[in-house]
Amino acid sequence: MAAPADAAVLVGLGSELDLPVVVQAAQEAAGHGRPLHLLHTFDWRVAFAADTVAAPRDQAEELITRAAQLAHQTEPGLTVRGEIVESTMLPTLIRRSEGTFLLAVGDSGMAGSGQCVPAETTAVQLAARAGCPLLVVRREPPPQGPVLVGVDGSPSSHLALQWAVECAARRGARLLALRAVEYDEDTDAVAEQLTEALARHAGRDNTVPTECRVVRGDPAEVLIDTSRNAQLALVAARGDEPGRAMLGAVAQSLLYHSPAPVVVVRGLAEAPLTGPGARPVRDQRP
């Protein structure tokens, strides 16, 4: 499903702990020329369990107000809309993601927790089920390193590579395209394929500084380790694992363990590359 031309960057706000999400989402919205939509869900069952029914609603209004102010401070010219929905967060965000350009949420404290992450965690469920790319923001600000993208040669990883090129261009950052290979694979041949793929996506006149890196080892471990110095890490939702439900093992590991913000690229139409200068066909997201 194609996102409308005026589709917004949507932020799922659960609490004030998600305010760092607003900053990065505002920057993404401004970079793409998109409006920012702040959404908080309100549960009346929780409200009736409180000392006063009015208090939770007042807190919800205050959260939206603070988030909108923060967004305007981050990007003064940005169009910002706030909304409180009487529903639960996960199904609302999944439904809204179908017409959204980019969905942004917090990681629920996953990064650095060292604990088992429940599969029902909102960020994990959205990574598997959202209808658009998902930005998962960490509570700690990232370093000013490169934009990192994991590429395994699958069509969906080429979409992640294309999205990463655009991210690096908007941020004025270096792009690091990384592919992990088995120990018996020909690294020179794989490096040549990766370089050619990056050239097709970046275009001949692209000014983004790029680096292709082929590393022997487990893809998830390699990406997580490299992401420690990245300002953003991108990966396809499933890569070359079409039979693995809706979220591949590498995407899941990066989501759980990378200290960097992660974009899980999904919800974009896949098509094979054709011709020397071709780009993948996407679902009309510029």
Side-chain angles (χ1 to χ4, degrees), residues 152-153 158 179 185-200 212:
D152 61 15
H158 281 282
R179 182 165 178 178
E185 289 188 71
D186 185 341
T187 56
D188 290 338
V190 174
E192 183 178 355
Q193 295 170 5
L194 183 57
T195 300
E196 291 176 352
L198 181 56
R200 287 197 297 269
C212 293

Side-chain angles (χ1 to χ4, degrees), residues 10 19 36 51 68 96 145 197 233 245 263 279:
L10 176 64
L19 289 177
L36 184 69
D51 293 336
R96 294 290 186 91
V263 173
R279 295 177 179 232

Side-chain angles (χ1 to χ4, degrees), residues 41-136:
T41 56
F42 183 78
D43 190 339
W44 278 110
R45 292 175 299 176
V46 176
F48 284 122
D51 293 336
T52 66
V53 175
R57 183 71 186 192
D58 291 342
Q59 292 169 1
E61 295 282 0
E62 182 182 357
L63 177 62
I64 287 291
T65 299
R66 287 181 60 191
Q69 292 172 344
L70 182 58
H72 284 302
Q73 291 171 4
T74 303
E75 297 290 343
L78 188 63
T79 298
V80 181
R81 178 191 174 197
E83 181 183 9
I84 299 175
V85 179
E86 295 176 4
S87 180
T88 52
M89 181 67 79
L90 182 59
T92 300
L93 291 180
I94 291 174
R95 184 173 63 254
R96 294 290 186 91
S97 70
E98 295 296 336
T100 294
F101 179 78
L102 174 69
L103 174 60
V105 296
D107 75 346
S108 302
M110 285 191 292
S113 67
Q115 300 178 357
C116 180
V117 181
E120 62 268 19
T121 299
T122 298
V124 177
Q125 285 293 309
L126 289 172
R129 301 167 62 188
C132 69
L134 173 72
L135 169 63
V136 179

Side-chain angles (χ1 to χ4, degrees), residues 140-160:
E140 296 297 325
Q144 291 303 306
V147 170
L148 170 68
V149 58
V151 182
D152 61 15
S154 64
S156 59
S157 75
H158 281 282
L159 291 174

Side-chain angles (χ1 to χ4, degrees), residues 217-239:
D218 177 77
E221 293 179 0
V222 169
L223 276 171
I224 291 168
D225 185 60
T226 308
S227 73
R228 300 186 192 284
N229 296 315
Q231 62 175 275
L232 184 69
L234 298 94
V235 68
R238 287 188 295 175

